[in-house]
Amino acid sequence: MEKMARVTTALGGNALTGRTMFCHLDAPANAISVCRDAAQVVVAGRNIFKIYSIEEEQFVEKLNLRVGRKPSLNFSCADVVWHQMDENLLATAATNGVVVTWNLGKPSRNKQDQLFTEHKRTVNKVCFHPTEVYMLLSGSQDGYMKCFDLRKKDSVSTFSGQSESVRDVQFSIRDYFTFAATFENGNVQLWDIRRPDRYERMFTAHNGPVFCCDWHPEDRGWLATGGRDKMVKVWDMNTTRAKEIYCVQTIASVARVKWRPECKHHIATCSMMVDHNIYVWDVRRPFIPSAMFEEHKDVTTGIVWRHLHDPYFLLSGSKDSTLYQHIFKDASQPIDRANPEGLCYSLYGDLAFAAKESLISSDSNRKPYIGDRRHPIFFKRKLDPTEQFEYISSSSALSVFETDVESGSMDWFVHTAKQYALAGRPLPELCDHNAKVAKGLDRNQVAQTWTMLRIIYSSLSTVSSTNLNHSMGKGSTTLPLMNSFNLKDIPSGLGSESRLDRSKGESRSENILMDSSSTLMNNEDNEETEGSDVPADYLLGDVEADEDDLYMMDHENPHAEEQEYSLPQEAFPLRHEIVDNPSALDHLQDKADSPHVSGNEAETVSLTPVESFSLISISHSLYENRLPSDFFNPIVRDTLLFYAEQGDVQTAVSVLIVLGDRIRREIDEQTQEHWYTSYIDLLQRFQLWNISNEVIKLSTCRAINCLNQASTTLHVNCSNCKRPMSNRGWICDRCRQCASMCAVCHHVVKGLFVWCQGCSHGGHLQHIMKWLETSSHCPAGCGHLCEYT
Amino acid sequence: MQANGLDERTNLLVEEYSTSGRLDNITQVMSIHTQYLESFLRSQFYMLRMDGPLPLPYRHYIAIMAAARHQCSYLINMHVDEFLKTGGIAEWLNGLEYIPQRLKNLNEINKLLAHRPWLITKEHIQKLVKTGENNWSLPELVHAVVLLAHYHALASFVFGSGINPERDPDTSNGVRLIAVNNFCVCDLANDNNIENASLTSSNFGIADSLSELEALMERMKRLQEDKEDEEASQEEMATRFEMEKKESLLVINGAFDDEIVSTDVSRYIEDPGFGYKDFARRGEDHLPTFRAQDYTWENHGFSLVNRLYSDIGHLLDEKFRMVYNLTYNTMATHEDVDTTTLRRALFNYVHCMYGIRYDDYDYGEVNQLLERSLKVYIKTVTCYPERTTKRMYDSYWRQFKHSEKVHVNLLLMEARMQAELLYALRAITRHLT
């Protein structure tokens, strides 16, 4: 409380002073209202009806209006209003539908003056005429508004909204005869008090109930409304059609709105549910409240500015049974806490950075981005001199830093995405095709992977790939080392190779884990043959070793694993040899592909099956006479994980799709989903819509599959009567007219309809395409220059 | 106009058939009230099949759990099929022991919501959403609550309207159709002339029932015309409310034998003995009356539900509004009747039994408008729908048309659903604040 400011404002002689303070009420408040002199406040609720005087330091209870042994339901107030001309006059709206007036001048304890029991349902709102002492207006759940003359016993006139419940009624401050009423169905009606038969104007302001409205105290044409749709809208009523001039989106349904005195664009709001804070918005800056009061612990139900001409004191009542006086100086200002900097990467690695201008200038002095800064684009928001002080801080600058065109190029991604074949052909063909594509783009490692996959999974020979893996395993030892390398440091030509290395390493290490019994000797083999380029007969030798391994028992297992861990250090220097020797790869690959090798494998096949089954107990029927292709699943899985880890989610997803069920179960759903979403996101950012859709279709994840099934509905309005067409897309049920005619052939379009976004004429896709090939004007003859891209 | 209405109805049924591939008896009975059916189907479709926080099989299983509270085998069987079709794990159908703990945790709230929603507190909500491996997120919970309330209420409608299982030759894939004792036997769905059939030709004297009708209309008129002269004090009003509550107590003497619940149903429920206990007879634990004005559907319920489970609020809102305002301005043989008071009395009487009180409603009206046999029926259908019998259905409003009685059932169902939702959502709101 110490920090709370004490504020004094001069208001034509009387000074308003005070601090942020509160007092406990005995019960939740439903509404509050202030006396004209800003010295007293009345609080009303289901179980409370009291007047407090607002002192310097505290609220002091002045009067309890809830008297009598057994208070009647008439005391259960939904709303309360204090007359702004007569300080003895109050009116309340009771939940049972009674409108009660109170005369504080009465000598007796019971100040109840008049009872109007004309409404059949709860009365939501009462409102005094701003300049007429005896005129009271009420709006009720039963859909009626009633105007009472306090000198008479009954209502003077009844206004029927002809629709649902009335939520708020407000006399216009300037127009003597006008009042606004808001309704549960989202409408706002304007009435002339002299004409109870019909409203003057009506418009739909919100989607769902409009809970409140408030006329601008100065600008006579402005009406603010707040609704259940979480919006606050400001309407300019001066024009013939009510025009929405400002709209503020809040986070919860809006229960009350109150213009801030003396500040043309400020408005205070509180919400009906969930959110307990009071916000003061500058309607011109609708994204962030300019002030915020966070004191209440439950929903705020009533807000009122303490004095008609003082913008610094706000009173509020709440369901948490407290009454607060808020001082503007103590308000928290979310703008101060908001992060004023924005940072974003573009597809091509460009970086945009927006920040307060002051920050930018100091930064650029230090020049932190010298290296990358190619073409900084610089925007600055121009200050509007007429705008008020709070805008000064909001000027900001946006800089864009472009990265090196070469290194940031993502062409390969686009090309790959376009050229890859993912389905529709047998697996070997797909793999071959994709390998070729990758190779064409100088991505040898990826090409290699595809080739390996073909070998592993096409039924030709499964064992040969074992050898392939083993022989390639030479490189395995470089794995940890590579991690310490930064891609940037390596010339791009080498980059791909080194990456390839790593992948081999991955598959290798997995290999060890899998048929671990076989690895011990194998590793030794590798070490021996390291350094030398793969000799032609090495492959064969390896096979032999493999066979030997297969006879070994499982107890070798732990050793093998230890071996694996100790390997990296030994093989440290090896990497360079391989990297520097790209030909080795091609060599290898040729080997693997060569018929000679496969023939060789065919022989070994006869030996291996029995052992392999004994080693890993997988029952398998498809590859009865060979090593099951499942055998390599962990390797492939790790390859994919590796690619994804590297950021090449494209390869991972493509392989996933091509292999389909063969690999799907090896990778957990979540990871797959993650890959898919990343890849699809990338594709869509490159506007490769067709490919992204193909990927969605081919994916086996349920979450992904349904992506292109969401929001596939296109709602069409009839071009004639502007009503939505519910049944069929081409004929309107109401005006019985065909809505979408082709501008070229003048027939109804029932299938693909393309239309110009400029002039909204259109027609059959084919017709329009043909038309625009020869002419640049709209076929409808409207003179618009249509574009078809 | 008549032709237009029929046309609309046919259209709607055709649409429903083409989207869901079936036309269940609920839909057929409801199709008497086409306008309502449309919003009913839309909201049901949304909560069962459209984007939502819960996976599809979960939704159907929750429906099963909800229907099981009222032993509504019709709904259970329907959703067992759907559950399997949407890829649910068949094992779960063996009973509650086979389902994940997370779903099992929903039992408590299902039980309370079905029978004594006023007992739901924010502690129940907290228990469910408390972080842990089986916790529910708030959107999921709201989805579940909406489903539960929907199916409890729908069970009321099914029993109230005497809806029987469809005559389907091959329903016997593991799931037997069972006949619960007391199952209502008036088979509306197979009566093709529902609109025309009126029950005037029952055993009771026609003249007698006609005069009843006249008297009722007279009373309605009187209530509408003169807004009572004497101002009833709060005491009086409160007393009237209490009286209604008390009377609702007497409406059914609790002398029902504990029915033996067949195992087909009981495996989906826990604590089968837990049933409706009159709100009025609380005695020991003094529960405050729910003041409708302090937590209304329009102001509070909607905002919360829509916030956590987007769009359902609009659909439910439309449905509630639809049922509340639905009228053909007819009563039995009379036309051009304003039935507002009657509809309001029905709606508020249901809420009254759940302890929800409207300040702006004079509960004396209930007494004047709703005859005792109707009260018995209302109470049975909303609180223990499984005990509804055809005799109850027949014994009230003997001269009214079937379609009008279905209308009553719709009102009861929606009032009940709203009451359950209000209690559940209020607890969630309290949890949030």
Side-chain angles (χ1 to χ4, degrees), chain A residues 271-286:
Chain A
S271 81
M272 183 78 82
M273 278 288 289
V274 191
D275 186 18
H276 312 153
N277 299 339
I278 302 163
Y279 301 102
V280 179
W281 302 85
D282 184 318
V283 288
R284 293 163 303 177
R285 198 173 185 189

Side-chain angles (χ1 to χ4, degrees), chain A residues 33 137 203 243 267 273 383 388 499 543 577 719 738 754:
Chain A
S33 185
L137 190 65
F203 59 94
K243 202 173 92 194
I267 192 163
M273 278 288 289
L383 269 184
Q388 286 173 354
R499 255 182 289 161
V543 173
E577 276 203 53
S719 58
C738 294
V754 62

Side-chain angles (χ1 to χ4, degrees), chain A residues 304-367:
Chain A
V304 60
W305 295 95
R306 188 171 156 193
H307 192 279
L308 232 61
H309 297 288
D310 185 305
Y312 301 107
F313 292 83
L314 180 71
L315 300 169
S316 69
S318 158
K319 278 245 153 82
D320 65 3
S321 305
T322 55
L323 172 68
Y324 258 95
Q325 170 170 275
H326 309 277
I327 306 294
F328 224 74
K329 279 204 174 141
D330 296 329
S332 74
Q333 297 191 312
I335 288 178
D336 296 342
R337 277 179 285 154
N339 183 0
E341 285 94 35
L343 189 69
C344 189
Y345 261 116
S346 89
L347 266 184
Y348 302 97
D350 297 350
L351 182 70
F353 177 63
K356 270 191 188 163
E357 213 189 350
S358 50
L359 221 72
I360 287 277
S361 53
S362 67
D363 253 16
S364 52
N365 288 340
R366 280 189 280 126
K367 300 255 182 222

Side-chain angles (χ1 to χ4, degrees), chain A residues 46 70-73 76 95-96 120-122 164 167 184 211 228 251 253 272-274 276, chain B residues 231 234-235 291 293-295 298-300 302-304 307 314 317 321 344 357 359-360 429 433:
Chain A
R46 172 173 294 285
K70 295 194 189 91
S72 94
L73 261 188
S76 166
T95 49
N96 63 353
K120 289 196 185 113
R121 305 281 307 270
T122 301
E164 290 169 72
R167 299 310 299 243
E184 200 147 288
F211 286 137
R228 194 172 69 180
I251 57 167
S253 52
M272 183 78 82
M273 278 288 289
V274 191
H276 312 153
Chain B
E231 162 59 16
Q234 181 170 22
E235 288 169 79
R291 299 297 190 125
Q293 268 85 355
D294 289 352
Y295 199 95
E298 287 82 12
N299 295 2
H300 306 92
F302 171 90
S303 303
L304 184 69
R307 182 189 196 86
H314 290 290
D317 203 32
R321 211 170 281 227
R344 198 164 162 219
R357 177 182 172 191
D359 284 346
D360 55 357
T429 308
T433 49

Side-chain angles (χ1 to χ4, degrees), chain A residues 287-312:
Chain A
F287 304 108
I288 190 160
S290 71
M292 197 160 112
F293 300 101
E294 302 165 299
E295 280 85 3
H296 286 298
K297 302 278 181 291
D298 201 338
V299 185
T300 309
T301 47
I303 47 174
V304 60
W305 295 95
R306 188 171 156 193
H307 192 279
L308 232 61
H309 297 288
D310 185 305
Y312 301 107

